[in-house]
């Protein structure tokens, strides 16, 4: 009997350490750190204050403050002087040499399912660049609402992907049209709308956590902020502008080290994702970030 009991506990022990890992990265294009407040983004603000959330309002992004550079750096873990993804047309990029972290996940375990569904479809074309099980590219871009619906659809599926990236773009569009600022209602309204989408996603996520025994990490972040005077380029050439260069990152899940993350950089996200999936980083990949916000 004693033997049976100990076998039972060994099983229980190993089961609790073999939970399926699930990662969801939510990208909100052009979302300034100072609009992630109770007033404009109550859901994200409440997530930040959970006891299983690591966060920063001062993550550094790239000196090239365009979308292409920063989404590439976030998802490859390599700075844009190497990926050469600077302008939004991705001309002369070397992303094939420094691929999306999905590639390394698939290399470690080809059964892992990866999926990317961005409003800005260029992300799938140039940054994912074939390194995902699901990453459609269509000329007609999906709306933010469709992006949210896709995430909800995944969360309700019994065979959902393991690593997922979604991207919202309306906040950036409103910043370019009216100014990126907590003082511009069109801009803060767009942030509040995405916050509602985040709320919908977390609602489904909480339901899912009741149903499946999974180990979750959700990362919410952005590529750049922007300036109030959108006529002078919105967020272009913003190397010395803290509202463009200091971006927010929110990491929620039981593997996180709760509290403020010290000195994160946007290239750290890919390395964090790899560490979450226990993928050892190889030297020859030439990654330049470090894992952040995790317990171990
Ligand atoms: Zn952008």
């Amino acid at each position: 009997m004693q033997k049976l009991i100990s076998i039972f506990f060994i099983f229980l022990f190993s089961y609790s350490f073999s939970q399926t890992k699930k990662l969801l990265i939510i990208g909100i294009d052009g979302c300034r750190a100072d609009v992630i407040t109770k007033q404009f983004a109550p859901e994200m603000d409440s997530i930040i204050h959970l006891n299983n959330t690591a966060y920063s309002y001062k993550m550094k992004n790239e000196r090239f403050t365009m979308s292409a550079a920063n989404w590439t750096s976030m998802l490859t873990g390599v700075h844009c002087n190497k990926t050469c993804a600077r302008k939004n047309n991705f001309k002369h990029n070397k992303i094939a040499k420094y691929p999306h972290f999905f590639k390394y996940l698939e290399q470690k375990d080809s059964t892992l399912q990866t999926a990317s569904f961005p409003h800005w479809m260029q992300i799938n074309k140039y940054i994912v660049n074939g390194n995902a099980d699901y990453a459609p590219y269509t000329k007609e871009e999906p709306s933010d609402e469709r992006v949210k619906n896709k995430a909800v659809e995944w969360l309700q599926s019994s065979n959902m992907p393991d690593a997922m990236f979604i991207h919202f773009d309306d906040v950036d569009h409103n910043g370019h049209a009216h100014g990126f600022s907590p003082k511009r209602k069109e801009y803060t309204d767009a942030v509040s709308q995405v916050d509602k989408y985040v709320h919908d996603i977390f609602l489904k996520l909480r339901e899912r956590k009741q149903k499946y025994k999974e180990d979750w990490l959700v990362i919410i972040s952005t590529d750049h902020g922007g300036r109030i005077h959108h006529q002078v380029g919105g967020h272009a050439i913003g190397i010395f502008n803290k509202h463009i260069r200091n971006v927010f990152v929110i990491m929620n899940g039981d593997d996180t080290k709760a509290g403020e993350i010290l000195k994160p950089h946007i290239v750290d996200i890919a390395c964090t994702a790899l560490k979450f999936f226990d993928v050892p980083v190889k030297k020859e990949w030439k990654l330049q970030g470090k894992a952040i916000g995790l317990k171990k």
Side-chain angles (χ1 to χ4, degrees):
M1 189 61 189
Q2 190 113 40
K3 204 175 171 189
L4 266 180
I5 290 171
S6 42
I7 287 170
F8 171 76
F9 274 105
I10 287 166
F11 265 113
L12 193 72
F13 188 71
S14 47
Y15 181 64
S16 64
F17 278 89
S18 62
Q19 282 176 308
T20 309
K21 290 188 184 255
K22 298 283 179 190
L23 169 73
L24 172 64
I25 300 178
I26 302 174
I28 307 171
D29 208 295
C31 189
R32 272 172 61 150
D34 58 357
V35 291
I36 306 297
T37 61
K38 205 171 177 179
Q39 186 187 358
F40 303 128
E43 179 70 23
M44 287 190 270
D45 181 69
S46 77
I47 295 168
I48 285 176
H49 292 97
L50 293 174
N51 62 9
N52 62 347
T53 295
Y55 69 92
S56 172
Y57 297 103
K58 288 183 200 161
M59 182 164 82
K60 270 275 170 285
N61 66 2
E62 297 286 10
R63 296 148 75 97
F64 273 89
T65 51
M66 302 301 285
S67 302
N70 284 291
W71 292 119
T72 303
S73 297
M74 180 191 288
L75 296 167
T76 64
V78 177
H79 289 293
C80 60
N81 59 339
K82 286 196 169 182
T83 63
C84 297
R86 295 191 182 105
K87 292 185 179 167
N88 284 354
N89 59 13
F90 287 88
K91 262 198 175 143
H92 311 299
N93 80 76
K94 293 181 183 161
I95 297 171
K97 217 171 146 190
Y98 305 101
H100 194 297
F101 74 86
F102 281 176
K103 182 170 182 176
Y104 302 129
L105 285 187
E106 302 261 6
Q107 264 178 19
K108 192 217 172 198
D109 179 356
S110 60
T111 66
L112 283 176
Q113 293 293 305
T114 54
S116 174
F117 198 66
H119 182 148
W120 191 40
M121 277 275 148
Q122 304 295 77
I123 292 176
N124 275 1
K125 184 175 182 182
Y126 292 104
I127 308 176
V128 180
N129 191 26
N131 289 306
D133 295 296
Y134 175 82
Y137 175 76
T138 50
K139 279 240 158 68
E140 197 187 323
E141 304 203 303
S143 63
D144 274 7
E145 192 180 12
R146 252 191 78 200
V147 168
K148 183 266 291 183
N149 289 342
K150 179 59 77 181
V152 167
E153 183 193 311
W154 285 335
L155 284 160
Q156 288 173 317
S157 157
S158 58
N159 62 343
M160 78 178 303
D162 301 290
M164 293 151 278
F165 173 81
I166 59 167
H167 163 274
F168 296 112
D169 217 359
D170 286 352
V171 170
D172 186 70
H173 295 165
N174 276 279
H176 283 292
H178 306 284
F180 298 72
S181 168
K183 293 181 185 137
R184 291 286 186 265
K185 195 177 176 315
E186 295 87 347
Y187 183 71
T188 57
D189 281 352
V191 173
S192 301
Q193 180 59 62
V194 170
D195 190 65
K196 286 198 182 97
Y197 292 151
V198 172
H199 174 82
D200 294 345
I201 290 168
F202 266 74
L203 214 63
K204 290 288 161 221
L205 183 68
R206 286 179 189 121
E207 281 175 26
R208 189 178 175 92
K209 280 179 174 173
Q210 303 276 324
K211 209 166 151 190
Y212 299 93
K213 204 168 162 55
E214 292 167 339
D215 180 16
W216 270 91
L217 176 63
V218 182
I219 301 177
I220 313 172
S221 190
T222 183
D223 53 343
H224 53 74
R227 52 171 75 81
I228 188 164
H229 301 296
H230 55 106
Q231 298 88 345
V232 284
H235 52 83
I237 318 169
I239 183 171
F240 298 119
N241 186 323
K242 67 174 180 179
H243 296 307
I244 298 174
R245 294 293 314 279
N246 290 347
V247 296
F248 75 95
V249 60
I250 304 168
M251 294 174 51
N252 177 259
D254 291 340
D255 291 17
T256 61
K257 196 173 160 218
E260 193 175 353
I261 306 163
L262 295 176
K263 296 198 173 173
H265 192 286
I266 203 159
V267 289
D268 297 337
I269 303 292
C271 300
T272 304
L274 290 169
K275 184 157 188 200
F276 175 67
F277 280 101
D278 299 316
V279 178
V281 171
K282 290 188 184 159
K283 225 176 175 177
E284 63 256 35
W285 297 348
K286 298 195 167 79
L287 302 193
Q288 296 176 302
K290 60 189 182 298
I292 53 166
L294 295 174
K295 270 182 200 154
K296 54 168 183 102

